[in-house]
Amino acid sequence: MPPGAVEPSPGHSLVEEALAATVRRPASRPGGTTRRQFLAYVIGAPILVVAVDALGSAPANAATSGASGGGGLTVPAPEGIPSLPQPADVVDLGDLLILAGLPTANLITISVDTNGVAHFAMPRQENGQGTETAVAMIIADELDLPLEQVEVTLAPAEPKLVFNQLTGSSNAIRSLWDPVRTAAAAARGRLLAAASDLLGEATSALTVQDGVVVAPDGRRVSYGQLSGLAASPTTLAVPATPKDPSTYRIVGTPVPQRANPAIVTGAQRYAVDLDVPGYPTMVRRAPTIGGRLLSFTNRAAVEAMPGVLRAVPLPFGVAVIARTFGQAIDGVDAVEATFSPGPVADQSNATVRQALIEAPVVPFLPAAPLARTLAFDFDWAPVNHAPMGTNMAVADVRDDSATIWAPLQTPIAALEAIAEAVGLPPSAVVVNVVRGPGSFGRTLFFDAALEAAQISKAAGLPVRLMWHRTNDMRHGRAHPQAHHRIRATLLGDEVLAFEHRVTSVTTDVSPGLGEAITAGLDRTGLGKLGFSQTLFETTITCPYNFGVVTQLLTEVPLAFNTDSWRSVFSYNTRGAEEIVVDQIAAALGQDPVTFRLGFLQNDRQRAVVEKVAEVGGWGRSLPAGVAQGIGFHQEYQSFCAVLVELDTRNPALPRVTRAAVAVDVGLPVNPLSLEGQMLGGLTDGISLVLQMGNHVEAGLPVESGWGHFKFIRQDQAPREVTVVVMPRSTDRPGGAGELAVPAAVGAVANAWARATGTVPTSFPIIDPTIGWAPPPPGPVPVEPLQPLPDPRRDPSELYDY
Amino acid sequence: MSGATPAQTFRFTLNGQPVAVTCPPDLRVLWVLRDLLGVTGPKYGCGLDECRACTCHVDGVAFATCSTPVSAIEGRSVTTIEGLAATWPGGGLHPVQQAWLELDVPQCGYCQAGQIMMAAALLAQVPDPTDDDIDQIRNVCRCGTYVRIRQAIKRAAELLRQGSSSASGS
Ligand code: FES
Ligand code: FES
């Protein structure tokens, strides 16, 4: 490992700081913008290539808890009984992942080519959150380059990056902020030094305008001309001093996503669109989750079908490879196969709920004399991720090599698993990361890539695997079903205790992510709590002064296919808590906004609540059956409040008609994509509360597609949403991708309670018993052929085609 | 079941060019476009006529390519997202595409070809759509870009009005 940063010594101070952070409140340090110097490396190459060291990316809490009260602990609350700091207040999941990635952060490189274009192969996944764009903005600012002269691509799996090629926990920008700034700053320093030699001027006399270095006398030399001069034949350590973020010109301004021109013209390629060899492939799967193939009795008949090339039995099903997906689907439905019953074949939502209720939990505090106790229990259905594109991958496995293309958040773990599965050394496997068709956590798991590799090897053909939507819905991954018990103890106008017991089907933490969390834990000493409890404790915190707060997780190990779902535990856990917060306010006879402002712990929290109440017109009069609701959430060093107006007058089609969101991420890199993330989180929250969830019957969700898995559409989306991005409050960005969901869940549920007079406790709310005939398990449904629409004769066909 | 009947040759116009494909008559247009012709803009989101990610135009009208057999488009003119801009006489991108860029609509982008094709078909029939009209659009956007889609449709309506008034020389 190369030596550490010049000042402060990085690895040491980081671990020390993180360890210290777990046992003490972060000391109040002057906030703002000290410019620290770091070390970078010029890598031996003919053009300028800069790599960065394990930087002084101190745990964000320690770095942000300045005068503005970033960590939520330094500002005394005006009322309420102060709660002790919880683990997520001092080290959160994002911090753990940053810590895990530190020893390999030095393998992040930025190069500047002879055309003056900066290149960065980003070791993160892009699923539309805007990471590529935000990182390009940071590089452009740090290098004084026009944005168009920065190229950001998705890096293929690089095993040497170990924990530093992982996308999750709203962590992409948080974790890249320091390494990318430092590498770019080092590159700029190197280019300026080369210009100084060439022009015979001190670097302090030089300025940079759009990638051109200008001398006081007006002589100009471009980065492209300087690239070779700034390069080094051998690797060389150089100092780097990133700019004060307050001097950035592009960071902080609204920049549209870079992929937009390709997306709106159809040129954007997702994995199954790539122009590489690969035959359309679909899989016939078991009638229950996790069932394994026992027999496939009509292989010859299936392989004789027109267009079918191979029908390959594998443990997870029968893969049908054809000339077109239409013919692969026909083949899948013609397969005659038997499967073993899966490990949850006897389970349904009802039996799982029973198991969750019966699981032992840590008892609540005994009732206090004179105190009142509010008790609420909540149920959450399992929820499929349902990315817009189904699970997909292209694989070309040959005798001596394998090449994979897939959307992947954990590509290194994918590469290792694929190498093992196809019997090749990891060095013979190339795993290319492709833009994802949505994810919401789904592509933390690389099952499509692994299956595609296994099919390709078995068939001896390159394959283009796409899951049928019905299989994606039934055999894909889901947020686990959960049961929540919350008890709030009130005395007078105070909350003496707030206790939350979560019982959940075990959330499977993907290979790659799980190992990174473990490695991060080892660096903090937090690991003693055990893996799941630690993960829970580093993501869940109660932002209110509610006296004695305990939030505890009990997992019930049922072998469903689970996964983080736009947060690991937060939307259900914090969403449920926001409902109880409203009920505590009601019990104390207080307005929900006033109550929150009184019991929140710091100014940044209160500021977003105040802002959202202001722009959302809190308290305006609305007809009966229509009501406002508010929710608050903080995580990833960021703060968010959501206000909605929910119209419940049409019981079949409740609708959030207006919404407002206020968000404080510390330092907003791209307010435009941040707004987009808030809109997405809001839409998730509306869907989760009102009507989106899975019904498991006999070990399989019955939902087969978008018809019964009711993610909202235009007719239930708010027509008007105001998103307020709070001005920069710290010198580094917090996370944003998952932030709005719990606040939106709370806001919509609270609006429902106020509009209908009934506090919702089972989600989704509109969840009648299955009132339709689900397509049977096994074959995939095939939609009858439709006639072409003619809206000129029947205007309804404009929409109902 | 496609493939049960022998393959035939079908001719249609695709993005202004004549094409011919030989395949079973009940093969769905989505697979003809994607797997036989390599036109990958239209996306598979369900194959069940539920999500509309596969939406394209036949003679200017939106249709679900995943649920329409190739035999139905014999002799017709099909436009995919790749060919939308060329249908706009103003040159450059179609106003719907321009509005999508202006409002930074896409997130993952996977639904957006279908959204844009639906919006363009809507505006062709209803030049000044109301919020109630827009509410009837069934296309799913799992990333939740609905508000921006709504704004972009209204913006595209404006651009179309400006475009047609300048095209008519007024
Ligand atoms: S793919 Fe055609 S409607 Fe979903
Ligand atoms: S942009 Fe991702 S589904 Fe619409």
Side-chain angles (χ1 to χ4, degrees):
Chain A
M1 207 182 124
V6 175
E7 167 72 18
S9 145
H12 170 72
S13 69
L14 272 171
V15 174
E16 199 178 60
E17 280 198 62
L19 278 168
T22 63
V23 295
R24 61 161 164 81
R25 288 179 173 213
S28 195
R29 303 199 302 190
T33 54
T34 45
R35 292 186 69 202
R36 287 190 290 171
Q37 198 174 50
F38 302 108
L39 203 61
Y41 298 88
V42 180
I43 303 292
I47 62 162
L48 178 62
V49 180
V50 176
V52 293
D53 188 4
L55 311 160
S57 54
N61 262 317
T64 55
S65 60
S68 53
L73 296 168
T74 52
V75 179
E79 53 180 285
I81 297 172
S83 302
L84 291 171
Q86 296 175 274
D89 288 330
V90 286
V91 175
D92 70 17
L93 179 55
D95 291 334
L96 289 183
L97 298 179
I98 290 169
L99 286 169
L102 275 179
T104 53
N106 62 331
L107 296 169
I108 283 182
T109 58
I110 292 178
S111 62
V112 178
D113 71 17
T114 54
N115 294 319
V117 175
H119 299 266
F120 177 51
M122 181 173 80
R124 295 291 182 277
Q125 169 67 334
E126 175 67 64
N127 288 310
Q129 330 88 301
T131 309
E132 276 175 329
T133 305
V135 166
M137 293 166 72
I138 296 167
I139 293 172
D141 256 336
E142 201 58 64
L143 268 170
D144 288 317
L145 270 177
L147 197 50
E148 309 76 59
Q149 267 172 258
V150 180
E151 282 270 321
V152 177
T153 52
L154 304 185
E158 283 270 17
K160 63 186 178 182
L161 286 169
V162 200
F163 298 125
N164 205 12
Q165 188 169 17
L166 161 61
T167 310
S169 189
S170 299
N171 196 33
I173 298 298
R174 282 179 75 189
S175 59
L176 289 173
W177 174 252
D178 278 327
V180 164
R181 280 167 16 98
T182 303
R188 185 178 188 274
R190 222 24 221 180
L191 291 161
L192 274 179
S196 158
D197 287 350
L198 192 71
L199 300 169
E201 300 277 359
T203 52
S204 58
L206 300 173
T207 56
V208 185
Q209 294 165 4
D210 286 350
V212 177
V213 182
V214 184
D217 59 6
R219 282 176 299 153
R220 301 160 68 83
V221 54
S222 73
Y223 278 0
Q225 293 166 299
L226 293 166
S227 170
L229 298 169
S232 166
T234 55
T235 295
L236 197 69
V238 294
T241 312
K243 293 181 179 176
D244 177 341
S246 67
T247 65
Y248 282 158
R249 295 173 185 190
I250 302 172
V251 167
T253 64
V255 175
Q257 189 180 201
R258 308 192 105 200
N260 285 352
I263 289 169
V264 306
T265 54
Q268 177 65 49
R269 305 252 167 166
Y270 302 83
V272 287
D273 302 331
L274 292 171
D275 190 12
V276 295
Y279 290 103
T281 302
M282 278 206 184
V283 175
R284 171 66 172 267
R285 293 177 195 274
T288 57
I289 289 172
R292 296 271 130 186
L293 184 69
L294 296 176
S295 70
F296 170 32
T297 51
N298 64 337
R299 181 171 186 168
V302 174
E303 291 191 333
M305 290 173 69
V308 174
L309 302 169
R310 301 263 201 292
V312 187
L314 285 159
F316 51 82
V318 177
V320 179
I321 304 167
R323 299 210 174 272
T324 67
F325 274 103
Q327 291 160 318
I329 290 170
D330 290 339
V332 159
D333 280 354
V335 163
E336 288 170 10
T338 59
F339 291 83
S340 66
V344 289
D346 53 350
Q347 298 289 344
S348 64
N349 286 21
T351 62
V352 171
R353 178 167 187 269
Q354 199 56 36
L356 295 175
I357 287 174
E358 286 168 6
V361 294
V362 176
F364 293 109
L365 293 170
L370 306 176
R372 280 190 291 170
T373 299
L374 297 186
F376 286 93
D377 294 354
F378 300 94
D379 287 290
W380 289 91
V383 185
N384 186 270
H385 293 78
M388 198 70 224
T390 56
N391 220 5
M392 58 172 69
V394 179
D396 187 352
V397 178
R398 305 181 182 203
D399 288 345
D400 55 355
S401 70
T403 312
I404 315 293
W405 293 262
L408 293 164
Q409 291 169 247
T410 57
I412 300 170
L415 185 149
E416 287 161 358
I418 289 165
E420 190 180 323
V422 301
L424 286 171
S427 57
V429 180
V430 174
V431 172
N432 297 298
V433 178
V434 189
R435 182 188 185 84
S439 172
F440 318 104
R442 177 65 179 90
T443 52
L444 282 163
F445 283 81
F446 46 79
D447 40 353
L450 183 59
E451 284 184 359
Q454 291 169 290
I455 298 166
S456 176
K457 180 180 164 79
L461 290 173
V463 300
R464 194 176 295 267
L465 172 68
M466 192 159 68
W467 283 31
H468 193 279
R469 171 60 62 191
T470 301
N471 284 335
D472 211 71
M473 193 62 75
R474 294 176 166 180
H475 290 276
R477 289 187 175 267
H479 191 276
Q481 190 175 337
H483 182 75
H484 296 245
R485 282 168 264 219
I486 302 179
R487 303 289 179 269
T489 307
L490 316 182
L491 184 63
D493 284 343
E494 293 296 351
V495 183
L496 294 184
F498 187 82
E499 303 169 275
H500 191 168
R501 303 290 178 267
V502 182
T503 39
S504 170
V505 170
T506 301
T507 304
D508 204 349
V509 177
S510 72
L513 178 62
E515 288 149 19
I517 293 167
T518 306
L521 286 176
D522 287 348
R523 286 164 191 277
T524 63
L526 262 181
K528 297 179 281 298
L529 290 169
F531 184 85
S532 297
Q533 190 62 41
T534 305
L535 192 55
F536 185 76
E537 294 289 335
T538 53
T539 54
I540 299 296
T541 186
C542 171
Y544 301 97
N545 280 317
F546 281 170
V548 178
V549 173
T550 55
Q551 295 155 301
L552 298 168
L553 170 73
T554 303
E555 291 197 321
V556 176
L558 290 167
F560 286 95
N561 295 327
T562 60
D563 182 9
S564 308
W565 193 111
R566 210 166 191 175
S567 82
V568 193
F569 308 107
S570 301
Y571 83 68
N572 50 322
T573 302
R574 284 285 304 120
E577 291 183 357
E578 284 299 299
I579 300 170
V580 177
V581 170
D582 259 38
Q583 297 311 310
I584 298 172
L588 298 181
Q590 290 195 33
D591 167 84
V593 168
T594 313
F595 177 80
R596 281 179 176 77
L597 292 175
F599 281 79
L600 283 167
Q601 295 167 331
N602 69 50
D603 290 342
R604 287 178 70 189
Q605 298 169 331
R606 285 187 285 269
V608 291
V609 171
E610 275 167 352
K611 179 54 79 178
V612 89
E614 174 200 324
V615 299
W618 178 253
R620 76 190 192 113
S621 83
L622 293 165
V626 185
Q628 293 178 320
I630 190 161
F632 168 83
H633 184 58
Q634 78 177 60
E635 201 172 349
Y636 331 102
Q637 315 303 331
S638 299
F639 304 83
C640 176
V642 173
L643 187 159
V644 301
E645 288 180 10
L646 176 68
D647 185 342
T648 63
R649 289 174 296 181
N650 177 352
L653 209 68
R655 181 174 192 175
V656 170
T657 50
R658 286 172 80 232
V661 183
V663 57
D664 172 357
V665 294
L667 187 157
V669 175
N670 184 356
L672 198 57
S673 63
L674 179 57
E675 181 190 275
Q677 289 307 296
M678 296 303 107
L679 297 174
L682 172 66
T683 315
D684 279 355
I686 295 169
S687 302
L688 287 165
V689 168
L690 294 182
Q691 60 193 39
M692 177 173 73
N694 289 112
H695 294 85
V696 174
E697 289 289 325
L700 193 74
V702 298
E703 283 75 18
S704 57
W706 302 103
H708 294 106
F709 184 79
K710 291 183 180 291
F711 188 75
I712 64 163
R713 307 187 193 220
Q714 259 322 344
D715 58 353
Q716 286 177 290
R719 288 178 175 176
E720 193 191 325
V721 183
T722 309
V723 177
V724 178
V725 174
M726 303 298 275
R728 184 166 82 90
S729 54
T730 62
D731 62 356
R732 61 172 53 236
E738 304 160 298
L739 178 68
V741 188
V745 163
V748 178
N750 287 333
W752 180 278
R754 288 155 58 90
T756 64
T758 306
V759 179
T761 55
S762 182
F763 300 100
I765 294 172
I766 303 172
D767 189 32
T769 49
I770 302 161
W772 80 99
V780 294
V782 175
E783 178 68 14
L785 296 172
Q786 307 285 332
L788 284 174
D790 187 354
R792 281 162 284 231
R793 274 210 305 271
D794 177 357
S796 76
E797 294 199 338
L798 182 52
Y799 308 100
D800 296 331
Y801 47 82
Chain B
M1 204 185 278
S2 52
T5 27
Q8 299 168 28
T9 298
F10 298 93
R11 291 169 209 284
F12 57 98
T13 302
L14 176 61
N15 296 331
Q17 302 293 319
V19 292
V21 290
T22 301
C23 63
D26 53 357
L27 188 64
R28 286 144 203 259
V29 173
L30 180 62
W31 309 126
V32 170
L33 295 173
R34 291 184 53 90
D35 300 341
L36 300 181
L37 297 169
V39 176
T40 55
K43 301 298 187 227
Y44 169 85
C46 67
L48 301 171
D49 199 15
E50 291 179 339
C51 77
R52 306 291 166 82
C54 64
T55 299
C56 294
H57 295 173
V58 56
D59 297 321
V61 169
F63 76 120
T65 56
C66 73
S67 301
T68 307
V70 63
S71 55
I73 58 165
E74 165 77 29
R76 310 283 295 262
S77 177
V78 172
T79 305
T80 70
I81 185 74
E82 289 92 338
L84 180 65
T87 65
W88 171 242
L93 293 178
H94 187 281
V96 173
Q97 293 168 310
Q98 293 173 35
W100 248 244
L101 293 180
E102 263 184 48
L103 284 145
D104 190 35
V105 173
Q107 288 189 27
C108 82
Y110 197 80
C111 75
Q112 298 295 349
Q115 304 280 5
I116 289 169
M117 296 308 277
M118 177 62 216
L122 168 65
L123 290 165
Q125 303 280 319
V126 185
D128 194 7
T130 63
D131 276 322
D132 288 341
D133 293 329
I134 295 170
D135 278 355
Q136 294 187 63
I137 295 175
R138 302 302 296 152
N139 295 55
V140 174
C141 175
R142 179 63 185 82
C143 295
T145 67
Y146 295 117
V147 180
R148 287 186 178 176
I149 289 172
R150 182 180 297 273
Q151 293 164 343
I153 290 173
K154 293 177 181 173
R155 174 67 183 141
E158 260 173 44
L159 291 171
L160 277 160
R161 277 195 294 275
Q162 290 165 10
S164 53
S165 60
S166 60
S168 64
S170 55

